[in-house]
Structure formats: structure tokens, C-alpha cells
Amino acid sequence: MNIKKLAAITGLFLATAGGASAQYNLNLSTSQVLQDPLVIAMQGAKERIEARTDGQVTITIYPSSQLGEDNDVLEQIRGGAPIAVLVDAGRLAPFKKELGILAAPYLVDDYTQYAAVTSSPVYAKWVDELAESSGVRLLNYNWFQGTRQMFTQKLIEKPADLNGVRVRTIDAPSWIATVAAMGATPAPMAWSEVYSALQLGAIDGAEAQLTGAYGIKLHEVTTHVALTNHIQLFTGLATSEAWWSALPEDLRIVVSEELSAAGEDATQATVAKLAEVQSDMEAAGVAFNEVDLAPFKEATAGVYEEVGLTEARAALAPYLP
């Protein structure tokens, strides 16, 4: 285990000598690079949290998976580590199956429609049950990273065009099932490995959001982007329930408010950057094409039943478009 991981695990809190106020440290982990709108928003939250708590809570940010890949960090969190990792709900599905629906294909038509879902009592119940059963507390789920598109070496216009194409995806049930249903061969792997895997031909493509793809320069190793819009990628910060419960209530309020505000900032910055990123990719020689979404929606309709999310979808029906 490297020093950064060790520090993350052992830094639950440091009580100062002489009965002074306890000091708490929270490490924020993300797979995105330092320049990504999400990391920039985290920096803003760090400054506000430390100011509002008079330094009682300190925030350390680890971009580019410096604390480990997301699934590994979740295991550290379950062990009580003072980390909040920015993850999609598909990675939480092994601990609370119903949450996987937030990363299911074509759940909503537009990213703004997620707010109704994540403010619903159904979602709140799932979050509490996740904390109780797994020790993972989902603090918020309002960090929009962009809509997932298909990055490949050839033109993709319909699901049949993906037959035999090895596509990197997130290592979570709903993601793997979605990519397979779209016609491709899913190849789950760490985000940090995608560029080299494409460069070496180990995979033929990747499904990703534009800002994240631009951050690791996928436009250098792919030639086409099919705008399949198959998942509106929202993510949230998940932390240790043990750490969260040990944090005094007044500090929890500050941390919760500021991290939620940062999610809103990250969402707005991401949306504002999408057109610029597409333009830069096109200037680098990548061809973008619109597709008829109907065949892709039809192809992925069975994913909900395949991964056991039909009941969850029914429970959320009043909050879906």
C-alpha cells in the first residue's frame, strides 16, 4: 500500500492536545484529472468548508485515482477510511441493488430530470439502507459529468455496427449489461488504463462523457464519436458511515451543504464546457455523428430486467419523465 492510501486510511481524525477541538480530515477521491470541472468544484468546496469550520475540517483532494480505482476506494471507505469518493451508483449496486437504476440506460431524457429522482423519498430510503447494510453513506448525487457517448475507431450508426467491437465500460453490473445490449463486447477496466489500451489495440473503443474523455485525451486514440446518449452520467460522493456518524452534527451540516453546492457548480461548469470540448475534438480530427436513438433504446430495454431493476423502476415511476 502506498503512502497516500495509508494516510487516507489512518487519518480518521486527530485530537489536539490539551482538550482543544478535534480536527477532522476528509480526503476527496476522483478518477478525473486536475483540470476537470469536477476537481475544480472540489477545490472551491475545500476552501469554503475549511473557512466555515475554522479549520476543524480539512479537505485533501486526490484526482486521477491517486488513492486507487473507485471500487478499491469504496472498500477502504467500508473499512472506515475518511474518504469520499465520487462514484456513479452502478458501483454501489453490489451493496444496494436498487441504486443501480441511477446508472441504467435511457432512464431520463435530460440530465435535469435526475433532480426529481434524487429528491424523492424512495431514493432517500435507499441511501439510508445502503449506509446500514454496507457502511457507505452517499452524501449527495448531483455531480453531472456529462452524457455517455461511444468513442470508436469506426462509424457507429446502429447497434449492429458494434458487433465484435470491444468497448471499455465501468466495472459494474448495469454498465456491463448496457454495453452488451447495445451490441458491443464490454471490456471493464480502470479509467486510467483506457488510453493505453486503445493505443495498443487491447480494446476498440470506450463509452465515456466528453469532458472525461478529453481529460485523458481519448481524441488522440479514437476517430469517431457516436452520440448515443445512453446514460446521463451523474455521480455522488460516498463516504464512510462510521466516519460520518463520528463527525459532530454542526460540522456535518457544513460539509453536506458545501459538497452539495460543489456538485451544482461542477454540473454547471460541465454543461458549459461540452460544446467547447466537442469543438476541440473535432479540430483534432474526430468525427461526431448523431444516431437514431430508437434502436439503441429498444436494444437496451431488457437491461432493467436482466440486472433486477424492474421493481426499482416501478418505485421511481412517479418521479420519472
Side-chain angles (χ1 to χ4, degrees):
M1 181 177 294
N2 64 35
I3 292 174
K4 286 180 178 175
K5 287 186 182 179
L6 184 61
I9 293 173
T10 59
L12 180 57
F13 66 87
L14 300 174
T16 57
S21 298
Q23 303 296 307
Y24 301 86
N25 180 60
L26 180 63
N27 301 299
L28 300 184
S29 175
T30 175
S31 61
Q32 302 306 313
V33 299
L34 188 63
Q35 299 80 14
D36 192 273
L38 281 74
V39 181
I40 294 170
M42 286 181 177
Q43 294 283 359
K46 166 186 167 69
E47 295 170 6
R48 295 190 301 270
I49 289 170
E50 292 177 351
R52 287 183 63 187
T53 64
D54 294 323
Q56 271 192 274
V57 178
T58 57
I59 305 292
T60 308
I61 300 169
Y62 293 95
S64 302
S65 302
Q66 291 177 9
L67 293 181
E69 298 304 326
D70 291 347
N71 286 343
D72 296 332
V73 176
L74 278 172
E75 287 306 309
Q76 295 176 44
I77 287 170
R78 294 186 72 202
I83 307 172
V85 61
L86 195 62
V87 292
D88 76 280
R91 294 190 188 274
L92 301 175
F95 312 115
K96 182 59 183 173
K97 181 177 67 176
E98 291 85 349
L99 283 170
I101 197 169
L102 300 178
Y106 301 107
L107 179 69
V108 297
D109 300 317
D110 180 82
Y111 77 95
T112 60
Q113 295 168 337
Y114 261 87
V117 172
T118 54
S119 61
S120 72
V122 174
Y123 167 82
K125 179 173 181 286
W126 292 343
V127 168
D128 286 341
E129 290 172 349
L130 170 72
E132 182 178 349
S133 65
S134 71
V136 175
R137 167 62 62 177
L138 188 55
L139 299 178
N140 51 52
Y141 203 77
N142 65 335
W143 299 66
F144 181 56
Q145 296 194 25
T147 308
R148 298 291 270 207
Q149 316 295 0
M150 196 64 67
F151 287 74
T152 59
Q153 308 290 11
K154 69 171 188 174
L155 178 65
I156 302 297
E157 295 181 304
K158 56 189 181 300
D161 295 335
L162 285 167
N163 289 344
V165 179
R166 295 162 296 175
V167 172
R168 182 271 173 184
T169 190
I170 290 173
D171 189 9
S174 61
W175 290 89
I176 293 170
T178 295
V179 170
M182 291 175 75
T185 300
M189 67 173 59
W191 183 240
S192 58
E193 298 172 3
V194 176
Y195 183 98
S196 59
L198 281 162
Q199 193 174 40
L200 296 171
I203 56 176
D204 307 307
E207 53 89 27
Q209 71 278 11
L210 296 188
T211 51
Y214 189 73
I216 63 167
K217 303 183 186 303
L218 288 194
H219 52 285
E220 295 180 352
V221 287
T222 55
T223 57
H224 288 78
V225 176
L227 297 172
T228 51
N229 298 324
H230 49 281
I231 293 174
Q232 304 286 332
L233 179 58
F234 264 91
T235 50
L237 284 166
T239 193
S240 163
E241 173 70 356
W243 183 87
W244 186 245
S245 298
L247 192 66
E249 184 178 2
D250 61 327
L251 299 182
R252 284 204 303 268
I253 291 171
V254 172
V255 172
S256 179
E257 287 179 351
E258 294 301 345
L259 291 180
S260 180
E264 297 297 331
D265 290 344
T267 294
Q268 293 175 17
T270 295
V271 171
K273 200 171 180 63
L274 290 175
E276 176 189 337
V277 168
Q278 179 170 339
S279 178
D280 287 349
M281 287 184 169
E282 288 174 332
V286 176
F288 283 70
N289 67 289
E290 301 276 353
V291 301
D292 179 2
L293 296 182
F296 288 95
K297 289 182 177 181
E298 182 180 356
T300 57
V303 168
Y304 289 84
E305 182 175 0
E306 180 181 345
V307 297
L309 292 175
T310 51
E311 291 182 6
R313 192 176 196 177
L316 285 182
Y319 313 101
L320 293 172

